Amino acid sequence: MNNVMEINGHKAIIQYDPETGLLRGEFVGLNGGADFYADNVADLHKEGAASLAVFLDVCKEKGIEPYKQYSGRFNVRVSPETHAAAAAAAQNISLNEWVNRVISQSAHA
């Protein structure tokens, strides 16, 4: 199970790392690694803020775009049964529009 922590307006996925015995955070949407570790939530938040600040500073110094660019297009492969069920659920709109709505609702929930 993944948990999301927001640090300075940036979302990070938080997981327990059994190899280190620590909580691990990894920012999403960045154009590089800015992960961080701690053994408690308060310290994880502090480490995340520090990691993000360093990452953004390095990007600025080197003239690197810090955020991933997304085209808005991707392929999804599902079973024929799932495809048929999605097409039925879409009713009178295109399957593309239905998938867009479902993903948008889920991603912004």
Side-chain angles (χ1 to χ4, degrees):
M1 179 173 149
N2 289 335
N3 294 299
V4 177
M5 177 182 280
E6 189 166 323
I7 300 172
N8 298 334
H10 294 78
K11 292 183 181 181
I13 303 296
I14 309 303
Q15 296 178 318
Y16 174 71
D17 184 344
E19 290 183 23
T20 63
L22 298 171
L23 297 170
R24 176 181 184 269
E26 181 176 19
F27 287 100
V28 294
L30 296 182
N31 198 18
D35 55 343
F36 50 100
Y37 294 84
D39 62 4
N40 64 72
V41 174
D43 286 345
L44 189 68
H45 195 276
K46 289 177 194 172
E47 291 295 323
S51 178
L52 179 62
V54 168
F55 177 81
L56 293 174
D57 285 346
V58 168
C59 287
K60 186 175 181 179
E61 287 173 14
K62 295 187 176 191
I64 297 170
E65 170 58 43
Y67 302 103
K68 288 183 182 178
Q69 301 298 311
Y70 296 96
S71 69
R73 301 179 77 175
F74 65 96
N75 293 321
V76 178
R77 289 177 178 76
V78 296
S79 70
E81 296 81 16
T82 300
H83 190 169
Q91 297 180 0
N92 293 329
I93 60 173
S94 72
L95 189 54
N96 189 65
E97 179 60 25
W98 182 80
V99 169
N100 187 42
R101 288 181 187 180
V102 170
I103 291 173
S104 183
Q105 289 170 353
S106 179
H108 296 102

